[in-house]
Amino acid sequence: MIGDRGREADSEEWSAAAFGKSLRALRITASLSRQELAQAAGVDRSVLSRLERGLYPHRLSDSTLSKLSTALSCGAALFAAAGRPAPDNQGLLTNPRVVRAFARPEAVSRALRKLHLAEIASSAVGPGFVPDGRVVDIVRVWKAVRERAGLAPAPPPPKGPGERVGTEVARRFRVAHAIAHILLTTQCSPDYGGSDAETEASELGGLLLTPFGPLTQAVRAAFSAGLDPWEADADGLVAAVADHLLIPGWLAAYRLGDFPGIHLQLLPVDEEPA
């Protein structure tokens, strides 16, 4: 029976009020009274009442969540409300850090969105768009994406976000950012403020410019040019990758943070006009 602090898992991520609201909604949808749900799940009615009112401070165990879910016939909805992976998925999560990550819905949402953006980028930029194996032909991608979206041919945008204004780096990122908005079917804000749409467009634009193959080649080229992979200079590696791929330094640092085997404390890189 729940109510025993020692048998329930405490967590700073537990939102008793949000969970209680979801639990009550699911119970009403199932046309069950509190007494009926308590009996079906083997939960004390007073504890169930505290749960629904957001007054139960301790996170529920998987066993209790499973019993409540079975009684409510709600699938994984209650696990989601508790910020926990569903039982069917838990067997797939063998890394404790991954399991803990799934207990944080906001972090999971960001990670899954990033994976989704990476999939969009990989579907838009294939090897044929990297003619020299190094730099993405972003103008060609622009034309192809507009055609795919049913848009009339048009020149790449003359203005947009980017660094090293007036350089090839700025032009390429500006076009990639515009392509991202087309792929995401969002509108670009005139001031490029920090909205969700602009953030995602910038992230996707960066992914369009840095496919994994060319990114790998850029890292190898940096090490071949003299950087010691065991004592890599963060500034030097970021600058080398940025110059190799013709991308802003911040983007090189961001992508190197995702690169397997690279464990650097990436420092800010000064963006000097080329």
Side-chain angles (χ1 to χ4, degrees), residues 119-159:
E119 285 297 317
I120 294 175
S122 63
S123 68
V125 181
F129 292 102
V130 193
D132 61 359
R134 182 174 73 90
V135 176
V136 173
D137 186 342
I138 203 66
V139 174
R140 185 178 171 190
V141 178
W142 164 263
K143 294 177 180 178
V145 169
R146 284 189 67 88
E147 181 178 356
R148 181 198 301 184
L151 300 173
K159 296 181 180 180

Side-chain angles (χ1 to χ4, degrees), residues 7 33-34 46 59 62 105 146 165 186 191 199 210 220 233 258 262 271:
R7 297 184 61 183
S33 66
R34 282 181 181 169
S46 64
R59 189 163 184 177
D62 286 348
R146 284 189 67 88
V165 176
T186 56
D191 58 355
T199 298
T210 56
R220 289 176 177 171
D233 167 54
D258 296 330
I262 299 294
E271 293 290 354

Side-chain angles (χ1 to χ4, degrees), residues 218-258:
V219 174
R220 289 176 177 171
F223 291 146
S224 297
L227 279 177
D228 186 346
W230 298 107
E231 297 180 2
D233 167 54
D235 283 356
L237 179 58
V238 169
V241 170
D243 290 342
H244 190 90
L245 297 178
L246 292 179
I247 59 176
W250 67 262
L251 175 55
Y254 177 77
R255 292 292 282 133
L256 282 169
D258 296 330

Side-chain angles (χ1 to χ4, degrees), residues 60-75:
L60 301 184
S61 66
D62 286 348
S63 174
T64 300
L65 285 171
S66 292
K67 292 175 181 177
L68 286 168
S69 297
T70 298
L72 292 168
S73 299
C74 63

Side-chain angles (χ1 to χ4, degrees), residues 138-139 156-157 163-164 166-176:
I138 203 66
V139 174
E163 299 181 43
R164 300 183 183 179
T167 68
E168 179 71 3
V169 170
R171 183 189 67 82
R172 286 168 52 76
F173 184 77
R174 183 167 60 239
V175 177

Side-chain angles (χ1 to χ4, degrees), residues 53 111 116 123 160:
R53 288 182 291 146
H116 177 59
S123 68

